[in-house]
Each structure stands twice: as structure tokens, then as C-alpha cells.
């Protein structure tokens, strides 16, 4: 089969379109013919050699590596101990995360059945492949953590803040992968949603349910917003703490990317800061899948690239300002 591998850490140019063996499945696994694979930040962090982590915390990487965690495809084989899936089923999932062994940039993948759900009939393989990591991140921040594993960044177990009708939720980086799902989930729960992104994304976000839109290139959010119940910052960066001042006392700050917050400042403002490490969950994807089928969630697709052009897809990702997700098409008709 064909797969994307890299034999050393580096830029997008290290991604090679190689011939590799079809994986064998073990207990608890199914073999999936991949139709599409989603691209996520951990993919390029891995490709770069995990430089985002402090040197003393970086894992030893054994090359060659096949990147990728998100995929949608069709079941080709099922281990004897796996219930609930059969050959021919359309499935999607985020595989073996947190970790570096998802291997979804490939024509076939051995997938833990516990990480999979049946693909919603209302979306195609490209859309389904774009969803798992981003929608699970938003879900586990906002709706249901689904596990009791402490965040590796804080040592604390995150407790999602119940979103009730009338609450005000601000989403920074609202047009990106996590952001556009956070907008929709907060709206689904009845919140008044303020979306922050660059101006070209306004119509996209209003169609997804944003009640207010702020173009950060023209307006400082802190100049026009206050009294917010919850902020989810999916853009990250060292200046994320500026959003603390838009929260009311008792409000909650959810940074998707790890950032330092002064505990004295958060105590003075009376706000809570919490974060998670998203984890694979087939059962949560099954629940989320019903929202896709009911038309309550949509997947924004920024662009698609053939599997063989994964390097170009990573180059596009590095340019930023995405509107939804970048997806690799593995089966040529995977949009169908």
C-alpha cells in the first residue's frame, strides 16, 4: 500500500510517498481502507521532531514514521473479539491519541475499535476525516470530558462548565478546526456566541450560528467585550491572558494550547483557567455523529490534497488562517 512516511525530522519536504506493507490487525482492532485523513497540529509537531516540547520532555522517535490520527474509511477486516463493526461499515475516528501511532496518512490502517464510530450518513468521508480531533477537543472542553485523566499541563482533571441558555461564550480563533466546532456546540447548548476571527471568516461563522462577530484585525476584543461567562481560546499564543479581562467574576478561561497564566491575577479577577489533553473516544464520536446527522453540526473544509501531496498540505497548514480543516483524500472519490 501507499503511505506518507518521514525518515528524519524536518519541514514538509521530508514527507515521502512510500510503498509499505498493509498492517496486520491484532485483538480489539479493525482494518480500515482509508478514504480520507484529517490534518492536525500534532502531525506537524511530530514531523518537526516535537520541537514544541521542552528538550527534556521530547520522546525518542523511531524512524520511519507514518503521521496522522484522524481518518474516515471502510472496514475491511474485523478481529474476532470486536463487536459492533462489520466488513463494509463506514467508520471514522481519531486513533491512539494522545500518542504517535495513529498512522492514518495511508491507504490502510489498523484501528482500535474503541477509537471508532460509524460515520454519520449525513457527511461524506472528507468531512468525517476533518472532524475527530477538532470536534473531540471542543466536546471534551465544553460538553463531556469522558475520562478522569489529569491534564499533563496542570495535573488537574478538567471539569467542563455547564453551558446553559443565555450564557455568553467567546471563541477566539473561531474559524479554525477547534474554534468552528466550539461555536456550534456552544450555540447548540443555547449560549450567546461571540466569534473572534479575521474579517474574511465572518459569513462562514454567522452561518454556523455566531451571534456576534469581531474582526480582530480591526478591533481589540478587550475594548468592546466584557462580562463573558466562558472564553475558549483556540488560537493560543503568549498573549492569551488578555482575554481574562473580558470574563466576569466566576467566569472560565479555556486555552486550547498550553499557556501560562498568573495564579495571582486569575485569583484577583475571580476566574478559573482549565485545559485538557484530548483523548480518543469512539463512544463520544458516536454521540457527536448524531448531531451531524441531525444537521446541528457541520464540518468546515478549508482545502483538500491527494495523499501524495501531504507536503503541500502541511505547507498550507503552516500559512494559518484556515477556515475549518485540511483533509488528505486517499480514495479518489472520497468526497462521494
Amino acid at each position: 500500500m501507499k503511505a506518507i512516511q518521514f525518515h528524519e525530522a524536518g519541514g514538509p519536504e521530508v514527507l515521502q510517498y512510500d510503498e509499505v506493507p498493509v498492517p496486520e490487525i491484532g485483538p480489539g482492532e479493525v482494518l480500515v481502507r482509508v478514504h480520507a485523513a484529517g490534518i492536525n497540529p500534532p502531525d506537524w509537531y511530530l514531523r518537526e521532531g516535537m520541537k514544541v516540547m521542552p528538550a527534556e520532555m521530547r520522546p525518542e522517535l523511531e524512524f520511519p514514521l507514518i503521521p496522522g490520527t484522524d481518518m474516515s474509511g471502510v472496514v475491511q477486516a474485523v478481529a474476532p473479539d470486536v463487536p459492533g463493526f462489520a466488513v463494509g461499515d463506514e467508520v471514522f475516528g481519531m486513533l491512539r491519541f494522545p500518542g504517535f501511532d495513529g498512522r492514518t496518512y495511508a491507504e490502510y490502517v489498523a484501528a482500535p475499535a474503541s477509537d471508532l464510530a460509524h460515520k454519520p450518513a449525513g457527511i461524506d468521508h472528507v468531512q468525517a476525516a476533518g472532524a475527530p480531533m477538532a470536534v473531540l477537543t471542543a466536546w471534551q472542553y465544553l460538553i463531556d470530558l469522558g475520562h478522569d485523566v489529569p491534564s499533563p499541563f496542570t495535573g488537574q482533571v478538567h471539569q467542563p462548565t455547564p453551558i446553559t441558555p443565555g450564557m455568553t461564550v467567546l471563541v477566539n480563533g473561531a474559524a479554525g478546526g477547534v474554534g468552528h466546532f466550539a461555536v456550534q456546540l456552544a450555540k447548540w447548548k443555547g449560549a450567546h456566541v461571540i466569534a473572534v476571527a479575521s474579517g474574511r471568516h465572518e459569513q462562514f461563522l454567522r452561518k454556523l450560528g455566531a451571534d456576534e462577530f469581531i474582526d480582530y484585525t480591526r478591533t481589540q476584543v478587550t475594548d468592546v467585550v466584557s462580562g463573558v461567562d466562558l472564553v475558549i481560546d483556540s488560537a493560543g499564543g503568549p498573549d492569551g491572558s488578555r482575554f481574562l479581562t473580558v470574563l466576569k467574576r466566576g467566569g472560565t478561561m479555556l486555552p486550547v494550547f498550553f499557556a501560562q497564566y498568573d495564579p495571582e491575577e486569575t485569583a484577583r479577577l475571580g476566574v478559573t483557567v482549565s485545559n485538557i489533553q484530548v483523548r480518543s473516544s469512539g463512544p463520544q464520536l458516536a454521540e457527536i455523529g448524531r448531531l451531524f446527522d441531525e444537521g446541528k453540526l457541520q464540518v468546515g473544509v478549508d482545502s483538500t490534497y491527494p495523499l501524495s501531496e501531504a507536503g503541500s498540505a502541511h505547507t498550507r497548514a503552516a500559512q494559518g488562517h484556515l477556515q475549518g480543516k485540511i483533509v488528505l483524500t486517499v480514495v479518489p472519490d472520497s468526497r462521494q
Side-chain angles (χ1 to χ4, degrees), residues 58-79:
R58 290 176 198 163
E60 284 287 332
L61 300 179
E62 295 186 10
F63 299 103
L65 284 166
I66 298 175
T69 61
D70 283 7
M71 63 91 225
S72 182
V74 178
V75 174
Q76 304 294 299
V78 182

Side-chain angles (χ1 to χ4, degrees), residues 126-203:
V126 165
Q127 293 166 327
M133 179 174 285
V135 77
L136 281 172
T137 300
W139 187 268
Q140 291 174 13
Y141 263 109
L142 298 175
I143 310 298
D144 175 30
L145 187 58
H147 62 79
D148 58 0
V149 181
S151 163
F153 309 111
T154 65
Q156 303 296 313
V157 177
H158 174 66
Q159 297 292 332
T161 301
I163 298 175
T164 55
M167 281 180 61
T168 299
V169 175
L170 183 144
V171 183
N172 185 46
V178 176
H180 87 291
F181 285 124
V183 167
Q184 295 176 80
L185 290 174
K187 191 64 182 176
W188 171 58
K189 285 293 187 179
H192 179 88
V193 179
I194 303 171
V196 180
S198 62
R200 74 183 188 90
H201 300 302
E202 180 172 3
Q203 292 308 309

Side-chain angles (χ1 to χ4, degrees), residues 85-273:
F85 294 104
V87 172
D89 285 355
E90 294 186 321
V91 296
F92 75 133
M94 176 178 75
L95 308 186
R96 298 186 175 89
F97 198 83
F100 309 110
D101 203 26
R103 299 174 176 264
T104 61
Y105 287 22
E107 292 182 327
Y108 293 88
V109 68
S114 60
D115 294 351
L116 296 176
H118 290 94
K119 182 184 77 65
I123 58 176
D124 61 28
H125 284 294
V126 165
Q127 293 166 327
M133 179 174 285
V135 77
L136 281 172
T137 300
W139 187 268
Q140 291 174 13
Y141 263 109
L142 298 175
I143 310 298
D144 175 30
L145 187 58
H147 62 79
D148 58 0
V149 181
S151 163
F153 309 111
T154 65
Q156 303 296 313
V157 177
H158 174 66
Q159 297 292 332
T161 301
I163 298 175
T164 55
M167 281 180 61
T168 299
V169 175
L170 183 144
V171 183
N172 185 46
V178 176
H180 87 291
F181 285 124
V183 167
Q184 295 176 80
L185 290 174
K187 191 64 182 176
W188 171 58
K189 285 293 187 179
H192 179 88
V193 179
I194 303 171
V196 180
S198 62
R200 74 183 188 90
H201 300 302
E202 180 172 3
Q203 292 308 309
F204 170 67
L205 290 165
R206 289 196 181 276
K207 287 179 181 178
L208 296 182
D211 298 288
E212 296 182 50
F213 177 83
I214 298 174
D215 179 351
Y216 72 88
T217 68
R218 295 174 175 269
T219 304
Q220 288 285 343
V221 176
T222 52
D223 290 342
V224 296
V225 177
S226 62
V228 169
D229 294 283
L230 187 151
V231 170
I232 180 163
D233 180 12
S234 67
D239 57 350
S241 59
R242 71 189 187 281
F243 290 108
L244 292 176
T245 60
V246 310
L247 286 162
K248 70 178 186 181
R249 292 195 70 83
T252 302
M253 175 76 199
L254 303 177
V256 173
F257 296 98
F258 179 66
Q260 295 284 354
Y261 291 86
D262 183 348
E264 291 185 2
E265 182 183 15
T266 57
R268 177 177 58 81
L269 295 171
V271 302
T272 300
V273 178

Side-chain angles (χ1 to χ4, degrees), residues 34-38 70-73 104 125-126 129 327-331 334:
V34 179
H35 282 230
D70 283 7
M71 63 91 225
S72 182
T104 61
H125 284 294
V126 165
V327 179
L328 299 173
T329 54
V330 185
V331 172
S334 59

